[in-house]
Amino acid sequence: MENIKIVIWGFGAMGSGMAKVLLKKKGVEIVGVCDRNKARVGKDMYEVLGIERGERKPVIINPNIEEVLTEGCCDVCLCATDSFTKEAFPRLKFALEKKVNVISTAEEMAYPQAQNPELAAELDKIAKENGVTILGTGINPGLIMDLLVVCLTGCMTDVEYIQAKRVNSLSPFGPAVMEEQGVGLTVEEFNKGVENGTLSGHVGFAESVKMIADAIGWKIDKFEQQMAPIVTSVDRKSKYGFAAAGNVAGVNMTGQGYVNGEVKIDMIHPQQIEPEMEGTYTGDYITIKGTPEVNMSIKPEVDGGLGTIAMCVNMIPHVINAEPGLKTMIDLPVPRAIMGDMREFIKRK
Amino acid sequence: MENIKIVIWGFGAMGSGMAKVLLKKKGVEIVGVCDRNKARVGKDMYEVLGIERGERKPVIINPNIEEVLTEGCCDVCLCATDSFTKEAFPRLKFALEKKVNVISTAEEMAYPQAQNPELAAELDKIAKENGVTILGTGINPGLIMDLLVVCLTGCMTDVEYIQAKRVNSLSPFGPAVMEEQGVGLTVEEFNKGVENGTLSGHVGFAESVKMIADAIGWKIDKFEQQMAPIVTSVDRKSKYGFAAAGNVAGVNMTGQGYVNGEVKIDMIHPQQIEPEMEGTYTGDYITIKGTPEVNMSIKPEVDGGLGTIAMCVNMIPHVINAEPGLKTMIDLPVPRAIMGDMREFIKRK
């Protein structure tokens, strides 16, 4: 049986991270990489990754997707280019029309039904017409604050209220994340950034809330979210960030899903540099009131970067095995690490 | 659209518990109950449950399955009669041949491929021939020490070692469980009971280990399990159990799955009455070494009785939606609580 063939579109931290993982797996190979970053274009993927190529063919990073992604050239295209469904849409459409399965890291694509139901329906239609599958996934949205919540409700006969809380550190992240999350800003600058939309905060609450609600059969009648500065009382310094006492060390994102006018799903996601300096310990926490009550914690939190890379790679066989169309994490079998030959995970149809 | 129709086979703690939950759900009805217990035979299910029947038709408990389960009389038969695949097999075969989907609570049926691969293949064949699906599930095996482990590996790029630990209290359970687990025995009596097989301990380690290994692609070359008495140093008393100081308060089950001669999966499951009396606090714990490491805990442990009832009820739509054949929890979408009309969870084909 031939290797599973992968094209990676977008070779930033996520795309290149997936490449590194894929190169360690059996039964799978990377046949193309598309990226427009001038520092990478024209170079061999192995050189960019700092990995010995050995006997393998070079994979030259090409900025032109039409040259990289030709009809049926691979089994799955890993699309690590966007955060928003609207922006990702033309790329996803292009890939599906080349009759390849697609896994997108765009946060909104984890459940595009939440904010872009028309585009979701359109992607479903295009995928079906071309006999392929499209899935959005990642660590969050994708697992920690949604699929894992859904899975834990599986042992409950009644659910009354859900709280998902992810407390993580921004310290390992680079300058782009520091900027997006407002690390180091004064409170005034932060508030301006929220108003004019230059601070992104966490993208995905609307998607996680809708995924959970649809999975268990709740109808959400209102969704709200808030973005507040985490003001530090001491100077905090990470590799790429610095927040002086009185300034912003990170963002506290909160979100609420209402059912019949009542908050039934609470999302709490404070992200900051050096949280331990003021006694905050990182972790993922899920509390579900109902019968029986479930109180779960993962300490420390699952690493966001590695987690997203793993989820995308690990879902490759499920996406190949799935019926054509737009799928979400609640439609497919549970994700799992791939420790054996990836081809053995493929079901013959 | 008509209600989803359910037959319950076996009306002990699990079967009757499922009935109580189903009666609170929308879009589903119980059309038959088979049970041979003389105290229940001939009585109306509602009377046995102590639930007002209201406008609903009586459901008379019938000891004769051939009268209860006729061809296509229901969508799903919940079979809560056995622990072992061999013993459950003729009943499961009978139900499948009536062209109804089956959910079994038999612990070994959570992954019959582990200890009865021939019977598993036979059930798969019979189910396919009759166009229906069969699934074994429960809280453990079924979720806590296997599916949840698999799900958490989904965010990992590499798995080195897995430990699943379920520390639970036997205090809520009745006299039958006290006897099966050896509560109150002397150490000598306990050891005799292990030797001659009268003490069952936990059934399911072989199934959980094989499910995890198959899911992530490890080949298990050896499986072992041990059953040791938990000797109390103080008198312990629960509603139905009593262990004098120096005697047995419960069972510590341990199991190991080996890959290439090395223990890769460790199962630890101490069950006892009144664990807090000697400083043991109940909980479910999953530790997965690898990249990134995952340390999960659920405190207190998910209630075993309610959890099994919930899992069986909640998997009804997934079993109806599945392709024909024998399925396990790693083949189907994640379990989820059913809070809306159950019919809305059914995919039109």
Side-chain angles (χ1 to χ4, degrees):
Chain A
M1 190 182 172
E2 271 188 66
N3 279 338
I4 294 168
K5 293 188 174 65
I6 306 293
V7 160
I8 301 178
W9 192 350
F11 213 62
M14 291 301 104
S16 64
M18 291 175 210
K20 280 183 197 165
V21 171
L22 286 168
L23 291 174
K24 287 186 197 156
K25 302 285 175 195
K26 279 184 212 161
V28 59
E29 63 180 284
I30 300 165
V31 298
V33 172
C34 176
D35 191 83
R36 292 187 298 198
N37 183 304
K38 281 180 189 158
R40 296 189 278 259
V41 163
K43 288 193 179 150
D44 183 4
M45 169 187 81
Y46 295 97
E47 185 196 335
V48 170
L49 294 174
I51 289 176
E52 200 66 47
R53 178 161 64 80
E55 302 287 292
R56 296 173 283 206
K57 276 188 241 168
V59 178
I60 304 302
I61 298 177
N62 187 330
N64 187 352
I65 191 64
E66 287 172 21
E67 290 173 18
V68 178
L69 201 66
T70 55
E71 189 164 319
C73 72
C74 63
D75 298 289
V76 178
C77 172
L78 299 172
C79 194
T81 51
D82 300 275
S83 282
F84 304 102
T85 300
K86 246 184 215 167
E87 291 168 15
F89 181 80
R91 279 184 262 272
L92 304 175
K93 181 174 189 283
F94 176 87
L96 294 172
E97 288 175 344
K98 296 295 173 191
K99 301 193 190 302
V100 302
N101 299 294
V102 175
I103 295 176
S104 166
T105 61
E107 287 93 326
E108 287 188 353
M109 275 300 296
Y111 210 74
Q113 296 88 337
Q115 304 199 73
N116 302 92
E118 304 81 10
L119 295 182
E122 183 72 11
L123 287 170
D124 185 52
K125 187 171 154 265
I126 298 168
K128 282 176 178 156
E129 283 168 0
N130 289 280
V132 289
T133 303
I134 175 166
L135 170 76
T137 195
I139 194 71
N140 185 38
L143 180 67
I144 297 294
M145 296 182 85
D146 39 41
L147 186 75
L148 190 52
V149 172
V150 171
C151 184
L152 290 172
T153 70
C155 65
M156 301 177 68
T157 60
D158 186 48
V159 178
E160 290 161 17
Y161 166 79
I162 291 166
Q163 185 190 82
K165 187 168 164 183
R166 178 162 165 84
V167 183
N168 68 331
S169 171
L170 294 176
S171 291
F173 291 92
V177 170
M178 296 302 130
E179 205 173 297
E180 282 164 23
Q181 307 291 329
V183 173
L185 298 183
T186 65
V187 174
E188 203 187 344
E189 289 166 338
F190 180 95
N191 290 333
K192 253 190 214 159
V194 173
E195 264 175 54
N196 63 27
T198 51
L199 290 180
S200 63
H202 170 69
V203 177
F205 276 174
E207 289 68 28
S208 292
V209 165
K210 180 86 169 126
M211 188 197 293
I212 294 168
D214 282 358
I216 70 172
W218 277 350
K219 313 280 180 220
I220 295 290
D221 41 45
K222 191 166 81 175
F223 168 76
E224 285 176 341
Q225 65 178 13
Q226 305 80 32
M227 197 170 152
I230 298 173
V231 179
T232 181
S233 64
V234 295
D235 287 1
R236 297 199 209 173
K237 198 180 172 338
S238 67
K239 193 166 175 195
Y240 294 100
F242 174 74
N247 285 348
V248 174
V251 176
N252 187 20
M253 293 282 300
T254 46
Q256 302 82 34
Y258 290 76
V259 178
N260 297 326
E262 208 182 321
V263 175
K264 289 287 220 174
I265 305 178
D266 254 323
M267 310 295 277
I268 304 168
H269 188 14
Q271 310 194 76
Q272 58 199 292
I273 58 166
E274 302 299 295
E276 300 79 11
M277 283 187 70
E278 289 189 89
T280 296
Y281 293 90
T282 60
D284 295 311
Y285 307 92
I286 296 171
T287 306
I288 317 180
K289 306 271 181 205
T291 311
E293 187 169 314
V294 176
N295 292 289
M296 189 223 72
S297 58
I298 297 175
K299 290 190 243 181
E301 88 280 19
V302 175
D303 184 291
L306 282 171
T308 294
I309 288 166
M311 290 292 289
C312 293
V313 168
N314 291 337
M315 291 305 289
I316 291 172
H318 286 339
V319 164
I320 294 174
N321 289 335
E323 300 281 299
L326 170 69
K327 300 291 170 190
T328 73
M329 290 303 291
I330 57 174
D331 299 318
L332 299 178
V334 290
R336 62 205 62 175
I338 294 172
M339 297 307 299
D341 189 314
M342 200 183 275
R343 293 169 296 189
E344 290 177 16
F345 290 74
I346 306 303
K347 295 205 166 124
R348 275 162 279 156
K349 286 178 189 172
Chain B
M1 189 183 173
E2 272 187 67
N3 279 338
I4 294 167
K5 293 188 174 65
I6 306 292
V7 161
I8 301 178
W9 192 348
F11 213 61
M14 292 300 104
S16 64
M18 291 176 209
K20 282 184 195 163
V21 171
L22 285 168
L23 291 173
K24 289 188 195 153
K25 302 285 175 195
K26 279 185 211 162
V28 60
E29 63 182 282
I30 299 165
V31 297
V33 172
C34 177
D35 191 84
R36 292 186 297 196
N37 183 304
K38 281 178 187 158
R40 296 189 278 261
V41 162
K43 289 195 179 149
D44 184 6
M45 168 187 80
Y46 295 97
E47 187 197 332
V48 171
L49 295 174
I51 290 174
E52 199 67 48
R53 179 161 63 81
E55 302 287 293
R56 295 172 284 203
K57 278 188 241 168
V59 177
I60 304 302
I61 297 178
N62 188 330
N64 187 351
I65 192 64
E66 286 173 21
E67 289 173 20
V68 179
L69 200 66
T70 54
E71 188 165 319
C73 72
C74 64
D75 297 291
V76 178
C77 173
L78 299 173
C79 194
T81 52
D82 301 276
S83 281
F84 304 102
T85 300
K86 248 185 213 165
E87 290 167 16
F89 182 81
R91 282 185 259 272
L92 303 175
K93 181 173 187 285
F94 176 87
L96 293 172
E97 287 175 345
K98 296 295 173 192
K99 302 192 190 303
V100 302
N101 299 295
V102 175
I103 296 176
S104 165
T105 61
E107 287 93 326
E108 287 189 353
M109 275 299 297
Y111 210 76
Q113 295 88 338
Q115 302 199 74
N116 302 93
E118 305 79 12
L119 294 182
E122 184 72 11
L123 287 169
D124 185 54
K125 186 170 155 265
I126 299 168
K128 283 177 178 157
E129 281 168 1
N130 289 281
V132 289
T133 304
I134 176 165
L135 171 76
T137 194
I139 195 69
N140 185 37
L143 181 65
I144 297 293
M145 295 182 86
D146 40 41
L147 188 74
L148 190 52
V149 172
V150 171
C151 184
L152 290 172
T153 69
C155 65
M156 300 176 70
T157 60
D158 186 48
V159 178
E160 290 160 17
Y161 166 80
I162 292 167
Q163 185 190 84
K165 187 168 165 182
R166 178 162 166 84
V167 183
N168 68 329
S169 173
L170 293 176
S171 291
F173 292 91
V177 169
M178 296 303 128
E179 206 171 299
E180 282 164 23
Q181 307 292 329
V183 174
L185 297 183
T186 64
V187 174
E188 204 187 343
E189 289 165 339
F190 180 95
N191 289 334
K192 253 188 217 160
V194 173
E195 264 174 53
N196 63 27
T198 53
L199 291 179
S200 65
H202 169 70
V203 177
F205 276 174
E207 290 67 29
S208 292
V209 165
K210 180 87 168 126
M211 189 197 294
I212 294 169
D214 282 359
I216 71 173
W218 276 349
K219 314 280 179 222
I220 297 289
D221 42 44
K222 190 168 80 177
F223 168 76
E224 283 176 344
Q225 65 178 14
Q226 304 81 30
M227 197 169 155
I230 298 173
V231 180
T232 182
S233 63
V234 296
D235 284 2
R236 298 197 208 174
K237 198 183 171 337
S238 67
K239 196 169 173 193
Y240 294 100
F242 174 74
N247 286 348
V248 175
V251 177
N252 186 21
M253 293 281 301
T254 45
Q256 303 81 36
Y258 290 76
V259 179
N260 296 327
E262 207 183 323
V263 175
K264 289 288 220 173
I265 305 178
D266 254 322
M267 311 295 275
I268 302 169
H269 187 15
Q271 310 194 75
Q272 58 199 294
I273 59 166
E274 303 297 295
E276 301 77 10
M277 283 187 71
E278 289 189 89
T280 297
Y281 293 90
T282 60
D284 296 310
Y285 307 92
I286 296 171
T287 306
I288 316 179
K289 306 274 180 201
T291 311
E293 187 169 315
V294 175
N295 291 289
M296 188 222 73
S297 59
I298 297 176
K299 289 189 248 183
E301 89 279 19
V302 175
D303 184 290
L306 282 170
T308 293
I309 289 166
M311 289 293 288
C312 292
V313 169
N314 291 337
M315 290 306 289
I316 291 172
H318 285 339
V319 164
I320 295 175
N321 290 335
E323 301 281 302
L326 169 70
K327 301 290 170 189
T328 73
M329 292 302 291
I330 56 172
D331 298 318
L332 300 176
V334 290
R336 60 204 64 175
I338 294 172
M339 298 306 298
D341 189 315
M342 201 183 275
R343 293 169 295 189
E344 290 177 16
F345 289 74
I346 306 303
K347 294 205 167 125
R348 274 163 280 156
K349 286 178 187 172

